């Protein structure tokens, strides 16, 4: 037996350790991936778990007597009177009728707080649509106050955990439920209304329209400019310092923090050019500058993928360079460009920080009707709501996030589908 | 006439002049024996006249819209009585805003200075005449342009070359927008920062350790020299970015390695898009997640083991930011790992190395420059990230390295300084631009170096 081990013995002696470290390394990889997947799951479960209940809302069905005297309406044809009528009084009277034993100021106030304090709008709208309701009694569904709704959704049977509900209210709600007057229905207000200080009346429609107008401006500006820039850089630009400079600039702009674009918008567009603040127009300008690099880079890749033989064939039969581009290169690279554009638009849709800088953070109740109306956008609305202390707003925020994510997923899925469907392999 | 109807008229005119130009070229060609005697196709003559109609008209429209506000401002002030003329610039702009309000909505308030009501009427008449003049001038310019174009239409006129050179100018201008944007960014942050540095010295800003910009709003306040020392912001930003990198780099790198070296095609095709979902989620969603889910649970966990954790801890913001950056790191590392030639791996296997040994001792060192570049890009992202920290990190500028404390970052301060009530000239708002300048300079440097490394590395193996 020799003292010196042969090479194969040395290798065999170390093998166990090496295999173990190999296994360890693989496990690290698997753990990393599981961590990533877990984060995706946690994020989605958290948001959906918090937000799904916002798509439902509770209403109370109350017999309402449109008493002309109480409303203070003398002439039903006078719309001014209908607008300024005392609907709150009517609602309060009906509530008192439902619960005749309630007495005392604080008690009554608790009773009135069952329904949203914007309920008068419902009655106003009904009377405007059908004036013959005056002096009639009809069953009207009034949406509940946000605290009542939160209680009904999450704390029935656990009253002690929710201090914003009173014992009397719990009793009344139980009575209403027995009488079949408590109704849970799809929350249409959430999709039809603008922002509001009252959670039960707040909706995302104004923000959705703001996002829509902003994206339209962004799309109309960024797509033609990006395609033009990509065509120039790929097909016409001479190789010189200037072109290099442009390329370096585009690559760097793609990595500049988005908030810097907000500062640019504030200093250049608003202060210097005097574009009105808080409008989708200036928002669109800023987002255009932000998404341009993304779209230019993907458009260039699409143009590059068109084989040179097609260009040479076009030039060979006498087309000018511009004709070659417009007749052959552009149509062939269009799917790739559109895919890049959709991804850029998805990025713009989710962007928040630069829009805060240019004043799209304002409290907007009205639904914007054009690109020069003050507006807010969906991500900013999410940001604003997430700051609100009411519990019901947390639910609304999550629901708004679900809507935003649904749009983003739809856009990205469409982009992937287009790429698969239209992309040619040469 | 409103601007939108003017635009519609210009577009209709563009179509009409296109048809006119086309028709004219055809009628020029008819006596010669058909359109093959023309230099260019009829559509090019049409496009040429249409462009000569639209470019002057739209150009004048754009210039007008940019400058009419300031022209009207000066005209309105020129007609103001003397006691208002004598006011300072700030008071002037305040009064001007009131006048604008009166001009738009009318005024029922009798206490308003009659001079202002007069000015508002003056303004309204100016606005009206400005709109009429704009419509006349821009349409006239269009007509002159298209008349010139139509008179040029002859069989020898090279319409195609002219149209193509106009298009080429448009292409060149479009590609220069990237440069203009960069210049715009630099100018906007630089000018405001220079004004800021007139009141606060750069040394104090960059090396001071006391940040409380709110103090300096009023000049007569005690300690109105303010606290504009940005060191706590820089350390806060670094702390949160470091936590984010601590999560994102190992997880991103290891998942990229596993997916490209170990995983089967099936697993890869399934896992990769799911991980990329993380990159597509808007930052405001991460911010919400960090503020309402991660931060409270970290606090509860900390309390259960007897640690005092701030409800706006740096840890929560950093962790969530790290999760956001995972797909970014993993896709960049994936690219560079793929760029390592297969021959190098085969060589290593041939010597008897295991897979992990090959990765650690051959692939990783070969890919290192690219990975470093990718990590630098990720760092620049973490530094510039705004929404997560605005929602989950605090506002208090603490100089601390404890991840359980609340810290604030550069981006948080920019947002807070610029979203409240603001006057454009106070050092408070200007400080936001100075912070923006620092942020831009740092991220630009990181990006330039990182892109340089990544590109150089790519060339090495191509």
């Amino acid at each position: 037996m020799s003292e010196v081990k042969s090479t194969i013995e040395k290798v065999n002696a170390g093998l166990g350790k090496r295999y173990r470290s190999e296994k360890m390394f693989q496990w690290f990889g698997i753990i990393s991936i599981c961590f990533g997947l877990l984060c995706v799951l946690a994020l989605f479960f958290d948001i959906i778990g918090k937000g799904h209940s916002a798509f439902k809302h509770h209403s109370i069905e109350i017999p309402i007597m449109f008493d002309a005297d109480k409303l203070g309406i003398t002439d039903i044809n006078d719309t001014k009177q209908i607008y300024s009528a005392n609907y709150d009084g009517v609602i309060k009277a009906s509530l008192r009728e439902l619960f005749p034993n309630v007495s005392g100021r604080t008690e009554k106030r608790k009773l009135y707080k069952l329904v949203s304090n914007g309920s008068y709008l419902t009655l106003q709208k009904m009377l405007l649509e059908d004036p013959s309701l005056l002096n009639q009694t009809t069953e009207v569904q009034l949406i509940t106050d946000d605290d009542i709704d939160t209680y009904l959704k999450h704390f029935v049977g656990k009253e002690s955990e929710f201090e914003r509900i009173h014992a009397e209210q719990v009793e009344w709600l139980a009575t209403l439920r027995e009488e079949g007057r408590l109704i849970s229905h799809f929350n249409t207000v959430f999709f039809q209304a603008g922002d509001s200080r009252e959670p039960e009346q707040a909706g995302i429609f104004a923000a959705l329209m703001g996002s829509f107008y902003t994206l339209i401006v962004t799309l109309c500006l960024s797509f033609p400019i990006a395609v033009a820039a990509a065509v120039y850089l790929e097909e016409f630009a001479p190789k010189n310092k200037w072109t290099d400079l442009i390329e370096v600039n585009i690559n760097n702009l793609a990595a500049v923090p988005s908030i810097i674009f907000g500062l640019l918008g504030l200093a250049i567009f608003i202060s210097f050019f005097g574009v009105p603040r808080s409008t989708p127009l200036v928002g669109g300008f800023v987002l255009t500058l932000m998404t341009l690099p993304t779209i230019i880079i993907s458009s260039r890749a699409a143009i590059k993928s068109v084989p040179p033989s097609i260009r040479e064939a076009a030039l060979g039969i006498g087309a000018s360079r511009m004709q070659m581009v417009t007749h052959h290169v552009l149509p062939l690279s269009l799917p790739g460009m559109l895919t890049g554009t959709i991804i850029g638009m998805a990025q713009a849709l989710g962007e928040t920080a630069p829009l805060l800088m240019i004043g799209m953070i304002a409290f907007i109740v009205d639904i914007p009707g054009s690109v020069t109306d003050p507006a807010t956008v969906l991500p900013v609305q999410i940001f604003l709501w997430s700051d609100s202390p009411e519990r019901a707003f947390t639910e609304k925020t999550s629901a708004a996030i679900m809507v935003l994510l649904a749009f983003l997923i739809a856009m990205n899925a469409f982009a992937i589908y287009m790429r698969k469907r239209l992309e040619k392999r040469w | 006439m409103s601007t939108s109807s003017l635009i519609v008229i210009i577009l209709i005119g563009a179509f009409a002049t296109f048809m006119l130009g086309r028709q004219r070229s055809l009628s020029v060609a008819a006596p010669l024996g058909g359109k093959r005697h023309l230099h260019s196709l009829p559509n090019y003559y049409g496009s040429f006249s249409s462009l000569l109609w639209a470019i002057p008209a739209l150009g004048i429209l754009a210039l007008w819209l940019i400058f009419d506000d300031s022209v009207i401002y000066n005209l309105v002030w020129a007609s103001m009585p003397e006691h208002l003329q004598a006011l300072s610039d700030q008071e002037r702009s305040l009064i001007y805003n009131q006048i604008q309000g009166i001009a738009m909505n009318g005024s029922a308030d009798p206490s308003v200075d009659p001079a202002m009501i007069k000015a508002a009427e003056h303004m309204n008449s100016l606005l009206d005449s400005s709109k009429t003049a704009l419509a006349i001038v821009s349409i006239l310019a269009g007509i002159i342009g298209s008349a010139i174009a139509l008179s040029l239409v002859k069989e020898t006129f090279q319409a195609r070359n002219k149209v193509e050179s106009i298009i080429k100018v448009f292409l060149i201008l479009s590609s220069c927008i990237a440069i203009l944007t960069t210049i715009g960014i630099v100018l906007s942050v630089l000018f405001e920062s220079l004004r800021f540095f007139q009141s606060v010295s750069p040394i104090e800003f960059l090396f001071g350790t006391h940040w409380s910009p709110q103090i300096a709003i009023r000049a007569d306040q005690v300690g109105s020299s303010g606290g504009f020392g940005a060191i706590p912001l820089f350390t806060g930003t670094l702390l949160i970015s470091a936590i984010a990198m601590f999560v994102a780099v190992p997880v991103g790198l290891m998942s990229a390695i596993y997916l490209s070296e170990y995983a089967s095609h099936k697993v890869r095709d399934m896992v990769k898009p799911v991980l990329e979902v993380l990159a597509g989620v808007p930052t405001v969603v991460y911010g919400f997640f960090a503020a309402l889910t991660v931060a409270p649970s970290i606090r509860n966990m900390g309390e259960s083991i007897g640690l005092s954790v701030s409800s706006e801890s740096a840890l929560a913001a950093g962790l969530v930011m790290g999760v956001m950056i995972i797909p970014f790191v993993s896709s960049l590392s994936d690219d560079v790992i793929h760029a390592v030639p297969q021959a190098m791996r085969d060589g290593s296997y041939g010597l008897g190395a295991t897979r992990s040994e090959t990765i650690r001792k051959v692939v990783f060192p070969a890919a290192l420059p690219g990975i470093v570049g990718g990590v630098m890009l990720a760092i620049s992202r973490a530094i510039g990230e705004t929404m997560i920290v605005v929602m989950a990190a605090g506002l208090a500028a603490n100089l601390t390295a404890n991840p359980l404390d609340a810290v604030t970052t550069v981006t948080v301060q920019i947002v807070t300084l610029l979203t409240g009530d603001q006057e454009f000239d106070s050092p408070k708002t200007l400080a936001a631009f100075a912070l923006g300048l620092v942020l831009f300079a740092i991220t630009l440097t990181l990006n330039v170096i990182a892109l340089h490394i990544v590109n150089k590395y790519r060339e090495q193996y191509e």
Side-chain angles (χ1 to χ4, degrees):
Chain A
M1 253 186 71
S2 69
E3 288 289 303
V4 185
K5 282 182 183 171
S6 69
T7 314
I8 190 70
E9 277 169 334
K10 275 188 195 165
V11 170
N12 283 337
L15 262 187
K17 202 176 155 203
R18 283 171 64 199
Y19 284 149
R20 271 200 302 282
S21 79
E22 167 78 26
K23 270 263 150 27
M24 279 271 283
F25 193 76
Q26 256 197 58
W27 272 107
F28 273 135
I30 293 173
I31 290 170
S32 302
I33 287 176
C34 289
F35 178 76
L37 296 180
L38 208 71
C39 289
V40 179
L41 278 183
L43 189 67
F44 276 79
F45 268 111
D46 183 52
I47 302 287
I48 294 174
K50 280 201 179 103
H52 72 96
S53 51
F55 294 108
K56 290 250 173 194
H57 202 93
H58 286 88
S59 283
I60 300 176
E61 201 171 49
I62 305 177
I64 295 276
M65 164 74 183
F66 286 90
D67 190 338
D69 290 340
K70 262 196 198 125
L71 287 170
I73 294 178
T74 47
D75 176 13
I76 188 63
N77 296 320
D78 186 357
T79 36
K80 224 178 196 169
Q81 280 191 6
I82 296 187
Y83 273 114
S84 59
N86 177 21
Y87 298 102
D88 282 337
V90 174
I91 295 171
K92 284 174 184 173
S94 310
L95 280 170
R96 278 197 304 269
E97 245 168 69
L98 274 181
F99 297 99
N101 331 338
V102 176
S103 59
R105 274 177 75 106
T106 42
E107 289 269 286
K108 278 184 185 166
R109 197 171 299 152
K110 284 174 194 165
L111 178 65
Y112 302 152
K113 281 218 72 176
L114 284 183
V115 295
S116 161
N117 61 8
S119 298
Y120 70 94
L121 288 169
T122 319
L123 301 191
Q124 189 183 64
K125 206 172 141 205
M126 285 175 72
L127 206 55
L128 278 173
E129 276 167 11
D130 184 9
S132 68
L133 282 173
L134 198 68
N135 287 325
Q136 304 280 322
T137 304
T138 32
E139 295 279 336
V140 181
Q141 289 184 11
L142 295 177
I143 55 174
T144 51
D145 187 69
D146 59 305
D147 287 332
I148 304 295
D149 189 57
T150 308
Y151 159 72
L152 288 170
K153 279 174 184 163
H154 305 289
F155 293 100
V156 177
K158 296 180 276 184
E159 287 78 11
S160 55
E161 290 170 31
F162 189 55
E163 70 275 15
R164 293 181 69 93
I165 187 111
H166 304 281
E168 298 93 330
Q169 290 178 324
V170 173
E171 257 169 57
W172 296 326
L173 287 169
T175 324
L176 286 171
R177 194 188 290 272
E178 271 166 33
E179 290 172 14
R181 293 192 178 277
L182 200 59
I183 300 156
S184 167
H185 58 91
F186 182 70
N187 191 352
T188 46
V189 175
F190 182 65
F191 288 97
Q192 288 170 350
D195 198 4
S196 171
R197 298 273 183 230
E198 301 293 332
E200 73 273 9
Q201 288 159 40
I204 54 168
F205 189 61
L208 272 181
M209 289 312 284
S211 275
F212 173 75
Y213 284 121
T214 311
L215 279 194
I216 289 286
V217 174
T218 311
L219 181 66
C220 290
L221 288 172
S222 64
F223 182 64
I225 293 176
V227 170
V231 165
Y232 179 73
L233 290 175
E234 282 299 319
E235 299 287 338
F236 295 100
K239 277 265 161 263
N240 57 20
K241 283 255 162 75
W242 182 248
T243 325
D244 283 348
L245 184 67
I246 293 178
E247 264 180 55
V248 170
N249 260 299
I250 290 173
N251 287 333
N252 275 320
L253 282 180
V256 165
S258 59
I259 190 169
I260 300 282
F261 286 98
L263 292 178
L264 165 90
L266 182 60
I268 304 272
F269 291 132
I270 295 180
S271 297
F272 188 72
F273 284 121
V275 183
R277 270 175 82 90
S278 310
T279 54
L281 189 66
V282 66
F285 286 164
V286 170
L287 291 181
T288 300
L289 296 185
M290 224 194 71
T291 48
L292 266 182
T294 315
I295 308 181
I296 292 179
I297 291 169
S298 61
S299 300
R300 289 186 65 177
I303 293 175
K304 243 185 218 152
S305 72
V306 175
S309 57
I310 288 184
R311 294 186 181 84
E312 280 149 19
L315 293 177
I317 55 169
S320 69
R321 288 188 74 85
M322 196 64 78
Q323 283 170 329
M324 164 199 94
V325 169
T326 49
H327 295 178
H328 301 282
V329 177
L330 276 187
L332 288 172
S333 53
L334 200 61
M337 291 177 173
L338 286 178
T339 314
T341 309
I342 295 172
I343 288 169
M345 288 299 115
Q347 197 187 345
L349 177 61
E351 197 52 69
T352 323
L355 302 178
L356 299 183
M357 303 283 91
I358 52 169
M360 291 189 91
I361 191 174
F363 177 73
I364 307 283
V365 179
D366 298 326
I367 286 139
S370 79
V371 293
T372 48
D373 286 348
T376 187
V377 294
L378 199 49
V380 177
Q381 186 74 75
I382 291 168
F383 171 62
L384 287 172
W385 280 352
S386 72
D387 252 2
S388 304
E390 285 96 340
R391 205 196 137 98
F393 266 130
T394 308
E395 184 183 282
K396 295 249 162 181
T397 315
S398 306
I401 289 176
M402 284 162 73
V403 174
L404 178 64
L405 287 179
F407 272 108
L408 289 176
I409 289 172
M411 284 167 91
N412 282 305
F414 184 62
I416 292 168
Y417 170 78
M418 284 237 313
R419 185 159 49 196
K420 288 238 162 85
R421 192 68 202 276
L422 298 172
E423 200 175 50
K424 266 191 193 138
R425 296 238 166 242
W426 304 97
Chain B
M1 193 186 303
S2 75
T3 316
S4 48
S5 52
L6 184 60
I7 291 175
V8 171
I9 289 180
I10 292 176
L11 290 182
I12 293 172
F15 181 71
T17 43
F18 175 83
M19 298 310 284
L20 270 178
R22 190 172 182 279
Q23 208 49 52
R24 191 167 160 81
S25 72
L26 285 175
S27 57
V28 166
L32 298 169
K35 62 183 177 184
R36 65 196 169 84
H37 292 278
L38 288 171
H39 170 272
S40 314
L41 290 168
N43 281 351
Y44 282 105
Y45 291 97
S47 308
F48 181 66
S49 359
S50 173
L51 283 171
L52 253 61
W53 155 273
I55 291 172
L58 288 176
I60 284 178
L61 178 72
L63 289 177
W64 200 287
L65 288 180
I66 290 172
F67 291 111
D68 70 339
D69 278 345
S70 53
V71 172
I72 289 181
Y73 179 87
N74 287 326
L75 284 176
V76 168
W77 274 107
S79 69
M80 289 289 240
E82 281 183 7
H83 71 278
L84 290 175
Q85 294 273 16
L87 295 171
S88 73
D89 275 355
Q90 276 188 1
E91 288 168 309
R92 271 183 170 219
S93 67
L94 207 68
I95 287 196
Y96 191 72
N97 280 341
Q98 286 178 339
I99 294 174
Q100 271 183 323
I102 299 171
M104 293 247 282
N105 311 321
S107 167
D109 188 359
S111 65
V112 174
D113 189 341
M116 276 167 64
I117 295 183
K118 222 175 138 197
E121 282 164 8
H122 186 51
M123 186 188 221
N124 270 337
S125 73
L126 280 175
L127 278 174
D128 278 347
S129 43
S130 157
K131 272 181 185 160
T132 327
L134 167 61
I136 294 172
V137 172
S138 64
I139 290 178
L140 204 64
I143 290 176
I144 293 174
S146 51
I148 294 174
L150 287 174
S151 73
L152 284 174
V153 175
K154 292 202 183 72
E155 72 278 10
T156 51
F157 180 65
Q158 305 185 331
R160 180 177 57 77
N161 308 34
K162 292 275 188 282
V163 170
E164 285 181 354
S165 41
I166 293 175
I167 294 178
K168 205 166 162 187
V169 169
F170 169 68
L171 296 185
I172 293 174
L173 287 180
S174 300
S175 66
C176 290
I177 283 186
I179 292 182
L180 285 180
T181 311
T182 312
I183 295 175
I185 290 175
V186 171
L187 286 185
S188 57
V189 291
L190 202 62
F191 270 114
E192 307 294 337
S193 306
L194 286 179
R195 282 167 66 196
F196 173 71
F197 288 136
Q198 281 168 3
S199 52
V200 178
S201 88
I203 308 277
E204 192 206 324
F205 175 70
L206 288 176
F207 300 108
T209 53
H210 177 63
W211 177 267
S212 58
Q214 268 68 18
I215 299 173
I217 299 173
R218 256 176 33 227
D220 54 333
Q221 214 161 345
V222 181
S224 64
S225 57
F228 282 109
I231 285 287
L233 311 190
F234 299 149
T235 53
T237 311
L238 282 183
L239 178 62
I240 290 183
S241 308
I243 297 171
M245 285 302 120
F246 195 71
V247 176
V249 172
V251 175
L253 195 59
M254 280 313 291
S255 40
I257 288 175
Y258 187 84
L259 285 179
S260 63
E261 302 281 333
Y262 286 102
S264 65
H265 265 287
K266 229 172 159 185
V267 174
R268 198 186 148 92
D269 285 350
M270 254 159 49
V271 171
K272 231 184 159 188
V274 179
L275 280 184
E276 267 160 21
V277 165
L278 284 175
V281 172
T283 52
V284 67
V285 178
Y286 282 112
F288 179 76
F289 184 62
L292 271 91
T293 308
V294 179
S297 46
I298 286 180
R299 203 167 65 142
N300 292 341
M301 261 195 275
E303 271 167 6
S304 66
I305 55 169
L307 284 172
S308 85
V309 183
S310 156
S311 60
E312 294 173 324
S313 62
L315 191 60
L319 282 180
V320 174
M321 194 189 280
V323 171
M324 183 193 83
I325 297 177
I326 289 173
F328 192 71
V329 174
S330 98
S331 77
L332 280 172
S333 334
D334 196 44
D335 284 351
V336 285
I337 290 170
H338 263 277
V340 175
Q342 185 62 31
M344 289 173 77
R345 292 187 184 86
D346 293 344
S348 169
Y349 293 143
L351 289 172
T354 64
R355 269 181 165 182
S356 67
E357 283 162 351
T358 307
I359 293 164
R360 272 179 303 178
K361 306 220 165 108
V362 178
V363 178
F364 187 72
L368 194 61
I371 291 174
V372 169
V375 170
M376 284 175 78
L377 282 179
I379 293 176
S380 118
R381 250 200 170 189
I383 292 176
E385 171 47 44
T386 311
M387 290 322 291
I388 295 177
V389 281
V390 167
M391 293 165 84
L395 288 173
N398 297 327
L399 189 57
T400 172
N402 178 2
L404 303 178
D405 269 352
V407 293
T408 191
T409 73
V410 174
T411 46
V412 172
Q413 288 303 321
I414 295 179
V415 170
T416 9
L417 292 176
L418 284 181
T419 47
D421 299 321
Q422 46 166 300
E423 350 153 31
F424 211 71
D425 288 331
S426 78
K428 194 181 142 195
T429 19
L430 293 178
F433 285 91
L435 288 175
L437 178 66
V438 174
L439 183 64
F440 182 65
I442 291 175
T443 50
L444 187 72
T445 320
L446 279 173
N447 293 341
V448 170
I449 298 173
L451 286 174
H452 183 73
I453 295 176
V454 170
N455 283 338
K456 201 164 179 190
Y457 169 77
R458 218 172 260 156
E459 278 160 19
Q460 207 177 334
Y461 286 120
E462 254 168 20

